[in-house]
Amino acid sequence: MEIFKSIVTNVLTALYQPFWFAVLLTIFILFFYMYAYYPTNTGKGIKAACLAWIRTFKNFLYFRKLFCLIFFTVMILFRTLLNRNMWMNPLSDVMGGWWIWKTEADGTVTLTTECFENIVLMLPFTFLLMWTAKEKLLKGRQICFTSILWYSAKVAFLFSLTIEFLQLFLRLGTFQLSDLCYNTLGGAIGGVLYWIGGKIQKRRR
């Protein structure tokens, strides 16, 4: 029970801290997208631009999907890169973080939920990515369980690897192989959940 409470608390805290920052940045990013692909009311003032953004959000499902995907991507980047302290030695714990118990330098054993958090962190990302751009990403390939699972795991691995190397080079956090493994697992689970959701939706039709 203590472990479950710790996981829920840490996940909710991770979501709460960057929430409004992610919302504002997502809106800002989608202004650029909107005027690149839906250049209406360009140069007619802030009020017209805001009304055009709201109208686009209401009328286009893909725009709403993009909002969700960008929002969660910003949340991930805030958690992993944008809100991290500098580390003197990012390679100090490369093989750490594989389980829920962590042994400190003085021998004290403490509870950590990083492994579960890393799974939860990437799971919605691949789900939203497949929901938003499945056809574009798979590029005409047959959309089946194996293709979605493979692509979800691959995207999660590459995205996580990029973050880990940025943490290493910028000295923001520590480079850990366990993060890479659990993020990839979370991404694969997200793809599976998307496939299951698609099957359920088809049966209801």
Side-chain angles (χ1 to χ4, degrees):
M1 193 64 183
E2 179 185 355
I3 297 173
F4 179 76
K5 287 182 180 179
S6 181
I7 294 171
V8 172
T9 301
N10 291 339
V11 169
L12 290 179
T13 301
L15 293 174
Y16 171 76
Q17 287 179 340
F19 182 82
W20 291 112
F21 168 79
V23 169
L24 293 175
L25 185 58
T26 302
I27 292 172
F28 184 71
I29 291 172
L30 284 177
F31 265 113
F32 287 97
Y33 174 84
M34 182 181 69
Y35 284 115
Y37 292 93
Y38 310 106
T40 57
N41 296 321
T42 304
K44 295 183 179 180
I46 297 295
K47 183 178 179 180
C50 292
L51 290 175
W53 194 100
I54 294 171
R55 186 165 55 250
T56 306
F57 186 85
K58 288 181 178 179
N59 295 335
F60 293 94
L61 175 61
Y62 184 71
F63 193 78
R64 296 194 294 272
K65 289 180 178 181
L66 271 182
F67 182 91
C68 295
L69 178 60
I70 295 172
F71 169 78
F72 196 79
T73 303
V74 172
M75 296 272 282
I76 293 175
L77 294 177
F78 185 92
R79 175 70 174 173
T80 57
L81 292 173
L82 302 179
N83 191 36
R84 301 296 294 269
N85 296 324
M86 295 286 290
W87 287 67
M88 293 301 295
N89 183 13
L91 294 172
S92 60
D93 195 22
V94 176
M95 297 304 297
W98 289 100
W99 191 228
I100 59 176
W101 302 108
K102 182 178 181 180
T103 304
E104 305 292 345
D106 59 357
T108 305
V109 178
T110 57
L111 174 65
T112 176
T113 58
E114 287 185 10
C115 54
F116 296 107
E117 291 174 39
N118 285 325
I119 294 174
V120 174
L121 183 71
M122 201 60 66
L123 190 155
F125 173 74
T126 51
F127 183 94
L128 292 171
L129 184 65
M130 286 296 166
W131 184 51
T132 304
K134 173 185 59 180
E135 290 81 6
K136 293 182 179 179
L137 294 173
L138 296 178
K139 295 179 181 178
R141 291 187 222 167
Q142 184 180 3
I143 300 174
C144 58
F145 176 79
T146 53
S147 61
I148 290 177
L149 177 63
W150 163 246
Y151 200 88
S152 298
K154 183 172 71 172
V155 168
F157 175 79
L158 294 175
F159 188 35
S160 179
L161 185 65
T162 302
I163 291 173
E164 291 298 317
F165 273 111
L166 285 174
Q167 288 178 341
L168 176 62
F169 293 132
L170 300 175
R171 295 192 174 185
L172 299 173
T174 57
F175 183 94
Q176 290 184 319
L177 294 177
S178 60
D179 290 352
L180 190 59
C181 178
Y182 286 124
N183 284 339
T184 304
L185 176 60
I189 294 173
V192 171
L193 292 179
Y194 172 80
W195 181 81
I196 293 173
K199 286 293 183 181
I200 294 173
Q201 188 177 20
K202 285 182 180 179
R203 289 181 180 179
R204 288 181 176 177
R205 290 176 181 173

